[in-house]
Amino acid sequence: VQLQASGGGLVQDGASLRLSCAASGRTFSTYSMGWFRQAPGKEREFVAAIGRIGRTYYADSVKGRFTISRDNAKNTVYLQMNSLKPEDTAVYYCAASSGWSGSYFNSGEYGYWGQETQVTVSS
């Protein structure tokens, strides 16, 4: 599966953005999907994930502010980001997994990655 992320940008503290990740292929619904991010000088970290049947998982740092969703008819996964903070500034990646072994937050579980999209939140 090939992934194409979009929707990043420069916004002010408290604003919202919606990231999209479009997938190629007919088997999108069989993949579990995740969003990760990497800030300058930091390691890549888990943001959110959604399973094949729609169960969602979030990092504590974004819980209550971000919402992950998927539209299998459009082969797309979304990350709605509200109440953005400067510490959310990072490059964001979407990723696909053909099946978690229980560790949805582990980047090693994902075999397919999209290109980065930059999110910058100014204070």
Side-chain angles (χ1 to χ4, degrees):
V1 62
Q2 292 183 321
L3 305 173
Q4 181 80 25
S6 61
L10 171 63
V11 297
Q12 292 189 330
D13 192 353
S16 297
L17 276 176
R18 188 176 78 159
L19 304 183
S20 299
C21 178
S24 64
R26 300 180 181 179
T27 59
F28 174 74
S29 63
T30 67
Y31 290 92
S32 300
M33 302 298 296
W35 286 96
F36 290 77
R37 66 186 182 187
Q38 187 167 16
K42 294 187 177 181
E43 294 187 352
R44 187 175 298 187
E45 65 174 4
F46 168 76
V47 177
I50 186 166
R52 285 172 284 190
I53 59 172
R55 186 169 183 177
T56 57
Y57 306 87
Y58 298 94
D60 287 344
S61 59
V62 307
K63 201 171 293 184
R65 300 188 298 122
F66 290 12
T67 302
I68 188 171
S69 61
R70 65 190 301 161
D71 185 338
N72 289 339
K74 295 183 178 179
N75 281 11
T76 301
V77 62
Y78 303 98
L79 186 66
Q80 177 66 44
M81 305 185 295
N82 297 331
S83 302
L84 282 161
K85 305 175 182 180
E87 50 263 45
D88 295 317
T89 295
V91 292
Y92 283 70
Y93 301 87
C94 64
S97 172
S98 57
W100 299 320
S101 60
S103 303
Y104 55 84
F105 49 85
N106 185 345
S107 62
E109 295 277 358
Y110 298 80
Y112 306 92
W113 291 81
Q115 90 291 352
E116 63 189 49
T117 186
Q118 175 72 46
V119 173
T120 303
V121 185
S122 63
S123 57

